[in-house]
Amino acid sequence: MKSPLLPISLSSSSSSSSSATTTMLLKREIEEDQQQSKPFMVSSSSSSSSSFEDEKEKKPFSFRASRYNQKRRRKGLAVNDDESNSLLTRQRSLTEDVEHAASQTYLITRLGFQLLRYLGLGYWWIIRFFALSCYAVLLAPGFLQVGYYYYSSSQIKRSIVYGDQPRNRLDLYLPLDSDCPKPVVAFVTGGAWIIGYKAWGTLLGLQFAEKDIIVACIDYRNFPQATISDMVNDASQGISFVCNNIAEYGGDPNRIYVMGQSAGAHIAACALTDKALKECGERESSSWSISQIKAYFGLSGGYNLCNLVDHFHGRGLYRSIFLSIMEGDQSLRRFSPEVIVQDPGFKSAAALLPPFVLFHGTADYSIPSDSSKKFADALLRVGAQAELVLYEGKTHTDLFVQDSLRGGTDELVKDVVSLIHAGDEVALAKAMVPSTRRRLVPEFMILLARKISPF
């Protein structure tokens, strides 16, 4: 019960006593209000205790029920907020993917028309393009499944920006087990320097992730958006990002490997040889060092462009276009790793190179296996470490596409994984367990696609 306020006289004779009385009454009223509004706070005064008992007798259950319902409502609001935030995050991620896909579609369309101006109406490239379309249709059941997983899997971190140029993005394929730092493969995909794209590495990335290896698929600008020096710079920037940031994603910065396939193998090899030369001559400082790379894996690569110009011309990549990609005839030697390592000025830089392991199929007609053999020999002659692994009867796409779509254990992946986990017996034993991956495309369709493949 609130005490009534007494009338206050405004006369000068009683002003001081009235003020003191008023202050005391107001203080008592505030204390009583506090006791009534916070009944669970126990006061030492008897009046507040009786006030609490009266209030409890009046509303013994409804008051507590009200507080319980308020807690439930707050909890329900918190759950709803979490669900809303999660939904907004997914919607934002989907929106970003759609916007990125739309921008890439526009870019590819525009560059496609530019490329047509270079190609003209040549007979061979039209035949090759038709064969490529048929090849893609035959393997579409597998590609669609992989594409769905690419856009829906939480194991894949898509389109991480690593530079300020168009297409300076990479995808990360993360193992499910994150109990300790994982080895990392920085992968540069192929595509004849014209149609390369980071998503081409999805099959490889998923298989390595199953074996406790993180894969970073590095995208780079293609021709005619860029020429070879731009592609090498993009790859180098991507490798730099991996070296400096992979620990944030569970990677081991002390176990980084570089891998490239076809044109990507050439670009990655150029990036490493160029880096070795710069570090040897101390021409510039950089955000990464070639000593951070444990090994290089080259898959079906071409390493001496001077010897491949005529070969590519006969297979539809015309000399004029190829020289435009490589910045002219005078630049072929500068972007040929096999030629670079044999230069007398490279002798001291050769000691900085990581071990080179070159994989190639003997039935590869796009880039003959002799290309890898000659590069391995050149590396050995200058004192670098090199190893050649040949796969009998395998074509340019068998090792990278068809064998992966068959499911089960992939021979190439098994060999690379054994090299990466060579120093870890536990990880190696786990990685060597036969894969249970299911087949994605029927065998007859794979064999037919293999026959008509333009690569």
Side-chain angles (χ1 to χ4, degrees), residues 139-153 156 173 199-206 401 404-405 437-438 440-441:
L139 300 182
F143 292 156
L144 290 173
Q145 294 176 71
V146 173
Y148 172 78
Y149 195 84
Y150 175 77
Y151 283 105
S152 64
S153 174
I156 306 174
Y173 296 79
W200 297 169
T202 302
L203 280 167
L204 188 75
L206 294 175
V401 182
S404 298
L405 293 174
R437 293 184 310 108
R438 61 186 181 84
L440 300 180
V441 179

Side-chain angles (χ1 to χ4, degrees), residues 35 37-42 52 63-64 67:
Q35 293 297 332
S37 62
K38 298 181 180 179
F40 290 105
M41 184 181 293
V42 180
F52 169 70
F63 182 78
R64 285 175 287 174
R67 288 181 64 84

Side-chain angles (χ1 to χ4, degrees), residues 272-284:
L272 293 181
T273 53
D274 182 63
K275 187 65 178 173
L277 275 171
K278 288 178 179 178
E279 288 189 9
C280 181
E282 298 181 355
R283 283 187 277 171
E284 63 175 29

